[in-house]
PDB file of all heavy atoms in Angstrom:
ATOM      1  N   LEU H 466      33.106 -10.581   3.059  1.00 98.00           N
ATOM      2  CA  LEU H 466      32.808 -10.326   1.663  1.00 98.00           C
ATOM      3  C   LEU H 466      33.748  -9.227   1.177  1.00 98.00           C
ATOM      4  O   LEU H 466      33.729  -8.116   1.725  1.00 98.00           O
ATOM      5  CB  LEU H 466      31.343  -9.885   1.535  1.00 98.00           C
ATOM      6  CG  LEU H 466      30.627  -9.999   0.203  1.00 98.00           C
ATOM      7  CD1 LEU H 466      30.614 -11.439  -0.308  1.00 98.00           C
ATOM      8  CD2 LEU H 466      29.198  -9.474   0.335  1.00 98.00           C
ATOM      9  N   TYR H 500      29.640  -4.970  -1.985  1.00 98.00           N
ATOM     10  CA  TYR H 500      28.798  -6.108  -2.403  1.00 98.00           C
ATOM     11  C   TYR H 500      27.730  -6.429  -1.361  1.00 98.00           C
ATOM     12  O   TYR H 500      26.778  -7.152  -1.656  1.00 98.00           O
ATOM     13  CB  TYR H 500      29.670  -7.340  -2.641  1.00 98.00           C
ATOM     14  CG  TYR H 500      30.584  -7.214  -3.828  1.00 98.00           C
ATOM     15  CD1 TYR H 500      31.966  -7.233  -3.669  1.00 98.00           C
ATOM     16  CD2 TYR H 500      30.070  -7.057  -5.110  1.00 98.00           C
ATOM     17  CE1 TYR H 500      32.818  -7.105  -4.753  1.00 98.00           C
ATOM     18  CE2 TYR H 500      30.910  -6.932  -6.205  1.00 98.00           C
ATOM     19  CZ  TYR H 500      32.285  -6.957  -6.027  1.00 98.00           C
ATOM     20  OH  TYR H 500      33.117  -6.830  -7.111  1.00 98.00           O
ATOM     21  N   PHE H 503      23.211  -5.748  -1.408  1.00 98.00           N
ATOM     22  CA  PHE H 503      22.373  -6.555  -2.297  1.00 98.00           C
ATOM     23  C   PHE H 503      20.959  -6.657  -1.726  1.00 98.00           C
ATOM     24  O   PHE H 503      20.691  -6.218  -0.598  1.00 98.00           O
ATOM     25  CB  PHE H 503      22.970  -7.948  -2.520  1.00 98.00           C
ATOM     26  CG  PHE H 503      23.241  -8.749  -1.266  1.00 98.00           C
ATOM     27  CD1 PHE H 503      22.228  -9.446  -0.614  1.00 98.00           C
ATOM     28  CD2 PHE H 503      24.530  -8.839  -0.744  1.00 98.00           C
ATOM     29  CE1 PHE H 503      22.474 -10.202   0.524  1.00 98.00           C
ATOM     30  CE2 PHE H 503      24.790  -9.596   0.401  1.00 98.00           C
ATOM     31  CZ  PHE H 503      23.756 -10.266   1.041  1.00 98.00           C
ATOM     32  N   LEU H 504      20.064  -7.250  -2.499  1.00 98.00           N
ATOM     33  CA  LEU H 504      18.679  -7.461  -2.076  1.00 98.00           C
ATOM     34  C   LEU H 504      18.373  -8.944  -2.100  1.00 98.00           C
ATOM     35  O   LEU H 504      18.699  -9.635  -3.071  1.00 98.00           O
ATOM     36  CB  LEU H 504      17.722  -6.725  -3.024  1.00 98.00           C
ATOM     37  CG  LEU H 504      16.225  -6.887  -2.723  1.00 98.00           C
ATOM     38  CD1 LEU H 504      15.830  -6.152  -1.442  1.00 98.00           C
ATOM     39  CD2 LEU H 504      15.377  -6.400  -3.900  1.00 98.00           C
ATOM     40  N   VAL H 510      19.204 -13.637  -4.639  1.00 98.00           N
ATOM     41  CA  VAL H 510      20.013 -12.481  -4.262  1.00 98.00           C
ATOM     42  C   VAL H 510      20.300 -11.680  -5.523  1.00 98.00           C
ATOM     43  O   VAL H 510      20.809 -12.216  -6.512  1.00 98.00           O
ATOM     44  CB  VAL H 510      21.340 -12.918  -3.603  1.00 98.00           C
ATOM     45  CG1 VAL H 510      22.321 -11.742  -3.536  1.00 98.00           C
ATOM     46  CG2 VAL H 510      21.096 -13.455  -2.205  1.00 98.00           C
ATOM     47  N   PHE H 511      19.966 -10.385  -5.481  1.00 99.00           N
ATOM     48  CA  PHE H 511      20.288  -9.474  -6.574  1.00 99.00           C
ATOM     49  C   PHE H 511      21.536  -8.695  -6.155  1.00 99.00           C
ATOM     50  O   PHE H 511      21.490  -7.823  -5.301  1.00 99.00           O
ATOM     51  CB  PHE H 511      19.101  -8.556  -6.858  1.00 99.00           C
ATOM     52  CG  PHE H 511      17.875  -9.312  -7.300  1.00 99.00           C
ATOM     53  CD1 PHE H 511      16.899  -9.678  -6.383  1.00 99.00           C
ATOM     54  CD2 PHE H 511      17.728  -9.708  -8.618  1.00 99.00           C
ATOM     55  CE1 PHE H 511      15.785 -10.404  -6.774  1.00 99.00           C
ATOM     56  CE2 PHE H 511      16.615 -10.435  -9.028  1.00 99.00           C
ATOM     57  CZ  PHE H 511      15.640 -10.784  -8.100  1.00 99.00           C
ATOM     58  N   LEU H 512      22.659  -9.068  -6.782  1.00 98.00           N
ATOM     59  CA  LEU H 512      23.983  -8.647  -6.339  1.00 98.00           C
ATOM     60  C   LEU H 512      24.579  -7.607  -7.276  1.00 98.00           C
ATOM     61  O   LEU H 512      24.602  -7.807  -8.495  1.00 98.00           O
ATOM     62  CB  LEU H 512      24.905  -9.872  -6.284  1.00 98.00           C
ATOM     63  CG  LEU H 512      26.359  -9.635  -5.876  1.00 98.00           C
ATOM     64  CD1 LEU H 512      26.448  -9.259  -4.406  1.00 98.00           C
ATOM     65  CD2 LEU H 512      27.198 -10.887  -6.164  1.00 98.00           C
ATOM     66  N   PRO H 513      25.098  -6.484  -6.730  1.00 98.00           N
ATOM     67  CA  PRO H 513      25.771  -5.510  -7.597  1.00 98.00           C
ATOM     68  C   PRO H 513      27.027  -6.102  -8.235  1.00 98.00           C
ATOM     69  O   PRO H 513      27.814  -6.773  -7.563  1.00 98.00           O
ATOM     70  CB  PRO H 513      26.161  -4.386  -6.627  1.00 98.00           C
ATOM     71  CG  PRO H 513      25.354  -4.599  -5.397  1.00 98.00           C
ATOM     72  CD  PRO H 513      25.086  -6.060  -5.320  1.00 98.00           C
ATOM     73  N   GLU H 514      27.204  -5.837  -9.513  1.00 98.00           N
ATOM     74  CA  GLU H 514      28.466  -6.150 -10.197  1.00 98.00           C
ATOM     75  C   GLU H 514      29.221  -4.839 -10.382  1.00 98.00           C
ATOM     76  O   GLU H 514      28.724  -3.926 -11.044  1.00 98.00           O
ATOM     77  CB  GLU H 514      28.201  -6.809 -11.549  1.00 98.00           C
ATOM     78  CG  GLU H 514      27.645  -8.221 -11.428  1.00 98.00           C
ATOM     79  CD  GLU H 514      27.403  -8.889 -12.770  1.00 98.00           C
ATOM     80  OE1 GLU H 514      27.430  -8.182 -13.810  1.00 98.00           O
ATOM     81  OE2 GLU H 514      27.173 -10.111 -12.781  1.00 98.00           O
ATOM     82  N   ASP H 520      34.062  -9.400  -8.620  1.00 98.00           N
ATOM     83  CA  ASP H 520      32.667  -9.857  -8.793  1.00 98.00           C
ATOM     84  C   ASP H 520      32.540 -11.375  -8.644  1.00 98.00           C
ATOM     85  O   ASP H 520      31.676 -11.852  -7.882  1.00 98.00           O
ATOM     86  CB  ASP H 520      32.122  -9.444 -10.171  1.00 98.00           C
ATOM     87  CG  ASP H 520      31.866  -7.948 -10.298  1.00 98.00           C
ATOM     88  OD1 ASP H 520      31.904  -7.242  -9.260  1.00 98.00           O
ATOM     89  OD2 ASP H 520      31.639  -7.487 -11.428  1.00 98.00           O
ATOM     90  N   ALA H 523      32.893 -12.463  -4.959  1.00 98.00           N
ATOM     91  CA  ALA H 523      31.727 -12.109  -4.141  1.00 98.00           C
ATOM     92  C   ALA H 523      30.567 -13.059  -4.423  1.00 98.00           C
ATOM     93  O   ALA H 523      29.892 -13.533  -3.496  1.00 98.00           O
ATOM     94  CB  ALA H 523      31.317 -10.668  -4.420  1.00 98.00           C
ATOM     95  N   LYS H 524      30.369 -13.352  -5.684  1.00 98.00           N
ATOM     96  CA  LYS H 524      29.265 -14.255  -6.061  1.00 98.00           C
ATOM     97  C   LYS H 524      29.500 -15.656  -5.496  1.00 98.00           C
ATOM     98  O   LYS H 524      28.577 -16.296  -4.969  1.00 98.00           O
ATOM     99  CB  LYS H 524      29.146 -14.312  -7.584  1.00 98.00           C
ATOM    100  CG  LYS H 524      27.901 -15.018  -8.084  1.00 98.00           C
ATOM    101  CD  LYS H 524      27.707 -14.805  -9.580  1.00 98.00           C
ATOM    102  CE  LYS H 524      26.378 -15.397 -10.029  1.00 98.00           C
ATOM    103  NZ  LYS H 524      26.117 -15.163 -11.473  1.00 98.00           N
ATOM    104  N   LEU H 527      28.899 -15.741  -1.658  1.00 98.00           N
ATOM    105  CA  LEU H 527      27.465 -15.719  -1.337  1.00 98.00           C
ATOM    106  C   LEU H 527      26.787 -17.030  -1.713  1.00 98.00           C
ATOM    107  O   LEU H 527      25.905 -17.510  -0.995  1.00 98.00           O
ATOM    108  CB  LEU H 527      26.789 -14.551  -2.040  1.00 98.00           C
ATOM    109  CG  LEU H 527      26.968 -13.189  -1.368  1.00 98.00           C
ATOM    110  CD1 LEU H 527      26.403 -12.077  -2.233  1.00 98.00           C
ATOM    111  CD2 LEU H 527      26.300 -13.177   0.005  1.00 98.00           C
ATOM    112  N   ILE H 536      21.880 -16.572  -7.259  1.00 98.00           N
ATOM    113  CA  ILE H 536      22.609 -15.309  -7.179  1.00 98.00           C
ATOM    114  C   ILE H 536      22.587 -14.649  -8.558  1.00 98.00           C
ATOM    115  O   ILE H 536      23.145 -15.185  -9.516  1.00 98.00           O
ATOM    116  CB  ILE H 536      24.068 -15.504  -6.720  1.00 98.00           C
ATOM    117  CG1 ILE H 536      24.144 -16.426  -5.502  1.00 98.00           C
ATOM    118  CG2 ILE H 536      24.710 -14.147  -6.438  1.00 98.00           C
ATOM    119  CD1 ILE H 536      23.529 -15.912  -4.247  1.00 98.00           C
ATOM    120  N   VAL H 537      21.924 -13.501  -8.650  1.00 98.00           N
ATOM    121  CA  VAL H 537      21.782 -12.785  -9.924  1.00 98.00           C
ATOM    122  C   VAL H 537      22.632 -11.520  -9.867  1.00 98.00           C
ATOM    123  O   VAL H 537      22.339 -10.596  -9.102  1.00 98.00           O
ATOM    124  CB  VAL H 537      20.305 -12.417 -10.187  1.00 98.00           C
ATOM    125  CG1 VAL H 537      20.179 -11.608 -11.480  1.00 98.00           C
ATOM    126  CG2 VAL H 537      19.448 -13.675 -10.264  1.00 98.00           C
ATOM    127  N   GLY H 538      23.688 -11.476 -10.662  1.00 98.00           N
ATOM    128  CA  GLY H 538      24.536 -10.291 -10.711  1.00 98.00           C
ATOM    129  C   GLY H 538      23.998  -9.278 -11.706  1.00 98.00           C
ATOM    130  O   GLY H 538      23.570  -9.639 -12.809  1.00 98.00           O
ATOM    131  N   ILE H 539      24.024  -7.987 -11.321  1.00 98.00           N
ATOM    132  CA  ILE H 539      23.533  -6.915 -12.181  1.00 98.00           C
ATOM    133  C   ILE H 539      24.567  -5.791 -12.183  1.00 98.00           C
ATOM    134  O   ILE H 539      24.951  -5.308 -11.112  1.00 98.00           O
ATOM    135  CB  ILE H 539      22.181  -6.352 -11.685  1.00 98.00           C
ATOM    136  CG1 ILE H 539      21.160  -7.482 -11.507  1.00 98.00           C
ATOM    137  CG2 ILE H 539      21.643  -5.306 -12.649  1.00 98.00           C
ATOM    138  CD1 ILE H 539      19.857  -7.028 -10.864  1.00 98.00           C
ATOM    139  N   PRO H 540      25.033  -5.342 -13.358  1.00 98.00           N
ATOM    140  CA  PRO H 540      25.999  -4.229 -13.395  1.00 98.00           C
ATOM    141  C   PRO H 540      25.341  -2.943 -12.862  1.00 98.00           C
ATOM    142  O   PRO H 540      24.335  -2.488 -13.416  1.00 98.00           O
ATOM    143  CB  PRO H 540      26.336  -4.096 -14.883  1.00 98.00           C
ATOM    144  CG  PRO H 540      25.909  -5.391 -15.509  1.00 98.00           C
ATOM    145  CD  PRO H 540      24.748  -5.874 -14.705  1.00 98.00           C
ATOM    146  N   ILE H 551      21.924  -1.591  -4.950  1.00 98.00           N
ATOM    147  CA  ILE H 551      20.632  -2.259  -5.155  1.00 98.00           C
ATOM    148  C   ILE H 551      19.765  -2.226  -3.901  1.00 98.00           C
ATOM    149  O   ILE H 551      18.560  -1.979  -3.984  1.00 98.00           O
ATOM    150  CB  ILE H 551      20.850  -3.702  -5.643  1.00 98.00           C
ATOM    151  CG1 ILE H 551      21.460  -3.705  -7.049  1.00 98.00           C
ATOM    152  CG2 ILE H 551      19.531  -4.476  -5.647  1.00 98.00           C
ATOM    153  CD1 ILE H 551      21.842  -5.082  -7.577  1.00 98.00           C
TER     154      ILE H 551
END
Side-chain angles (χ1 to χ4, degrees):
L466 201 59
Y500 292 117
F503 56 81
L504 179 70
V510 166
F511 298 95
L512 178 70
E514 290 181 347
D520 289 349
K524 190 169 186 178
L527 280 173
I536 313 294
V537 177
I539 306 173
I551 293 174

